Amino acid sequence: MATRTSKKVSLAEAASCVSDGARVALGGFSVYQRPMAFVRELIRQGRRDLTVVGVVNGPEVDMLSLHR
């Protein structure tokens, strides 16, 4: 039987995989299930010039656009 390897990573590690100028898909529905902690981590790490794919009227897009 094969052993399973966890694919879980921390927010900091996940955000470190996103480079400046990357295209990022952000999901969620209405005001629920938005990836706000991930967006805050992208901002904390200073990511710039991201292209956001998905619902563009959410608060996470506002947060990213304020930290250009």
Side-chain angles (χ1 to χ4, degrees):
M1 181 183 247
T3 59
R4 292 184 177 185
T5 304
S6 175
K7 293 179 176 59
K8 293 180 185 178
V9 296
S10 68
L11 283 173
E13 191 175 351
S16 71
C17 295
V18 177
S19 58
D20 289 344
R23 183 175 297 160
V24 181
L26 300 176
F29 176 74
S30 185
V31 296
Y32 304 105
Q33 301 173 349
R34 299 283 190 172
M36 300 305 291
F38 182 65
V39 168
R40 285 191 293 272
E41 184 60 28
L42 289 173
I43 292 168
R44 190 191 72 72
Q45 290 187 17
R47 297 296 175 265
R48 302 265 188 242
D49 302 321
L50 299 176
T51 299
V52 178
V53 178
V55 179
V56 295
N57 60 348
E60 67 278 11
V61 176
D62 290 340
M63 287 174 63
L64 287 170
S65 65
L66 291 174
H67 290 85
R68 290 180 135 179

